[in-house]
Amino acid sequence: MKYDRKDFSKQPVEKRLKHWKEFYHQMPEEDLRKQGARCMDCGVPFCQSGCPIGNIIPDWNDLVYRNSWQEAIERLHKTNNFPEFTGRICPAPCENACVLAINEPAVTIKNIEVAIIEKSYKEGWVKPLPPKYRTGKKVAVVGSGPAGLACADQLNKAGHTVTVYEKNEALGGLLTLGIPDFKLEKWVVKRRLDRMEQEGVKFKTKAHIGMDISLQELLQKYDAVVLAGGAEQPRDVPIPGRELKGIYFAMDYLTQQNRINMGQHADAQQRISAAGKKVVVLGGGDTGSDCIGTANRQGAALVTNFELMARPAKERPVDNPWPNWAFIERKSTSHEEGCQRDYAIMTKSFSGENGEVKKLHAVRLEFGPKDPATGRSAMKEVPGSEFTVDADLVLLALGFLGPIKKGMIEELGIALDERGNVRTDHDCMTSVEGVFAAGDMRRGQSLVVWAIHEGRATAEGVHRYLMAEVKKAG
């Protein structure tokens, strides 16, 4: 009641487009304490139900307000292995579920979270805490993204000996190679990886399971294996002109730029650059937004963003009540930096010259009423609405179709669900004894905070399995 919501300040657009670093400025501690004071000590804290990992949000909001920062990080680490990641890149479903958000701007939960962890690192409170004893059980985790890392961290804390296998040259999965530096600088990821290594987790890079090393080999060497390879199969658009040069999947584009930022060289023939080009990004999600921010930093002449679905409402519609995630129109920092956005657009074809894309041909859509059974609206093309835009570079940010099947999934014939994801039981075990799955590989494409939840849940299942084996042996 006393204080208004106040967010972190940002660098002006013209300045932040000249570099690849994060551009938020944390506020003074006194201001953060006031933001913590906005938390209402609700009888039922819906923010916790809105958070996939069940962060005890009111507790650490209050502890910041009371200037008890060290206790705040202890409370935060009870549920969240990586608050420095979620505090930067999570879309904060907790804030959508904040009770204050019914009729006022929500508490700045995400900002307080990242402030707690950064102060804790600065003060030296985040120290390596290796387990006091080892169980003698060995676990291999395949994939070093947030799900794999969270699972490895939990299993290591339980006393198991954990080795993480990563097919790429860098650890961190999408945290390192997918998410742009301006949203998450890579020293932040390395800092946490260093701590995990100090606590006993082992890491192996350039180890492609199912290709370089067979999954069967891991099963013979370890007591349990966790598959956390992500949902890497991108959604394509099989339309005329797709074969033209200049049309790329978003992840190929983003990972290349991240590698360049890490100091790697990109061959001129392989370089995907938006410099001086008219760029069209297909897809209105976070990945599309990352492409927009990257293209603008590369010096694009114009960036256009098309979304297949209809433009969301500015405010919650009646069928999307609090505390559910609000399906409203949102503007990311990348959108602020410059792009033309349009909704209800279907791409019909591409055309070009000398084998390179030059035009995108599209049509406008209209949506009928929602089907009560599916919640979806039938869409149809608007007659006479066809149009064409110039496009020197087209980036496909259309989501993912589950994990890549070739390799470790096909090797042992691991069962899939109806969506093409790895099917598991209540303990997250796959159809193969001793093989578990976590994250996007099991759940499908989702948020980093859901990946952390997945990793923690799978670790519990693995721990129960291993301890049952110990009891049998005893």
Side-chain angles (χ1 to χ4, degrees), residues 165-192:
Y165 289 84
E166 170 56 54
K167 69 179 179 181
N168 290 303
E169 76 286 1
L171 295 166
L174 287 183
L175 296 169
T176 298
L177 292 177
I179 296 170
D181 287 32
F182 55 81
K183 287 176 66 175
L184 177 66
E185 290 185 40
K186 305 319 166 194
W187 63 265
V188 177
V189 182
K190 186 177 185 306
R191 180 178 62 181
R192 180 60 70 166

Side-chain angles (χ1 to χ4, degrees), residues 167 230 247 263-264 390:
K167 69 179 179 181
I247 305 171
Q264 296 185 29
D390 294 335

Side-chain angles (χ1 to χ4, degrees), residues 327-346:
F327 291 101
I328 58 175
E329 185 177 0
R330 301 173 191 275
K331 190 174 185 179
S332 74
T333 55
S334 292
H335 296 138
E336 293 172 0
E337 292 162 4
C339 78
Q340 296 180 354
R341 301 173 75 185
D342 208 345
Y343 294 83
I345 303 295
M346 176 183 283

Side-chain angles (χ1 to χ4, degrees), residues 30 34 49 58 131 159 177 214 260 274 301 328 334 357 382 411 423 458:
E30 184 57 36
K34 289 178 180 178
S49 63
L177 292 177
S214 72
I260 291 171
I328 58 175
S334 292
V357 68
V382 177
E411 180 190 332
R423 192 180 75 208
T458 301

Side-chain angles (χ1 to χ4, degrees), residues 124-440:
W125 299 331
V126 185
K127 297 176 180 177
L129 297 171
K132 294 180 180 178
Y133 70 94
R134 291 289 177 183
T135 64
K137 294 292 184 178
K138 297 189 298 181
V139 183
V141 175
V142 182
S144 67
L149 292 179
C151 187
D153 195 34
Q154 291 296 104
L155 289 170
N156 182 65
K157 283 180 168 68
H160 307 301
T161 300
V162 183
T163 303
V164 178
Y165 289 84
E166 170 56 54
K167 69 179 179 181
N168 290 303
E169 76 286 1
L171 295 166
L174 287 183
L175 296 169
T176 298
L177 292 177
I179 296 170
D181 287 32
F182 55 81
K183 287 176 66 175
L184 177 66
E185 290 185 40
K186 305 319 166 194
W187 63 265
V188 177
V189 182
K190 186 177 185 306
R191 180 178 62 181
R192 180 60 70 166
L193 290 168
D194 288 346
R195 185 195 169 195
M196 289 178 65
E197 200 163 28
Q198 290 162 3
E199 292 177 337
V201 178
K202 300 170 185 175
F203 295 100
K204 293 183 182 293
T205 56
K206 298 181 181 179
H208 195 168
I209 307 304
M211 297 294 179
D212 306 330
I213 305 168
S214 72
L215 185 54
Q216 187 64 52
E217 187 179 336
L218 286 191
L219 275 174
Q220 293 170 356
K221 187 177 178 181
Y222 294 91
D223 299 294
V225 176
V226 178
L227 308 182
E232 294 187 316
Q233 188 67 52
R235 188 186 302 276
D236 207 343
V237 281
I239 58 177
R242 172 64 181 89
E243 75 284 353
L244 292 168
K245 291 181 180 179
I247 305 171
Y248 301 94
F249 289 118
M251 274 303 145
D252 293 338
Y253 175 63
L254 295 172
T255 55
Q256 184 188 84
Q257 184 59 57
N258 277 343
R259 285 188 164 105
I260 291 171
N261 290 348
M262 292 163 62
Q264 296 185 29
H265 173 72
D267 184 88
Q269 296 297 317
Q270 303 298 322
R271 181 77 168 99
I272 310 172
S273 176
K277 295 179 180 177
K278 293 178 179 178
V279 181
V280 179
V281 178
L282 299 183
D286 288 341
T287 304
S289 174
D290 292 345
C291 289
I292 293 165
T294 300
N296 278 322
R297 281 163 178 76
Q298 290 179 345
L302 176 67
V303 181
T304 303
N305 185 203
F306 289 147
E307 166 59 49
L308 181 71
M309 304 308 294
R311 184 185 294 272
K314 298 288 186 183
E315 297 181 356
R316 284 182 184 271
V318 292
D319 61 349
N320 178 212
W322 174 92
N324 295 323
W325 174 259
F327 291 101
I328 58 175
E329 185 177 0
R330 301 173 191 275
K331 190 174 185 179
S332 74
T333 55
S334 292
H335 296 138
E336 293 172 0
E337 292 162 4
C339 78
Q340 296 180 354
R341 301 173 75 185
D342 208 345
Y343 294 83
I345 303 295
M346 176 183 283
T347 303
K348 300 291 287 183
S349 65
F350 303 106
S351 61
E353 300 171 5
N354 302 318
E356 296 187 356
V357 68
K358 291 297 177 184
K359 303 281 185 182
L360 180 148
H361 307 275
V363 64
R364 296 192 177 275
L365 302 173
E366 60 182 7
F367 293 83
K370 285 186 178 180
D371 183 334
T374 64
R376 297 178 180 177
S377 301
M379 62 183 185
K380 62 179 181 179
E381 298 179 14
V382 177
S385 66
E386 297 83 0
F387 68 97
T388 299
V389 295
D390 294 335
D392 305 310
L393 174 64
V394 177
L395 301 171
L396 307 179
L398 304 170
F400 299 85
L401 299 174
I404 293 173
K405 314 304 186 292
K406 185 179 179 181
M408 57 189 181
I409 291 178
E410 288 184 349
E411 180 190 332
L412 294 183
I414 294 171
L416 304 174
D417 64 18
E418 64 279 1
R419 297 171 59 214
N421 300 318
V422 174
R423 192 180 75 208
T424 64
D425 63 14
H426 63 281
D427 271 337
C428 303
M429 189 187 291
T430 70
S431 58
V432 177
E433 175 81 15
V435 178
F436 298 76
D440 290 1

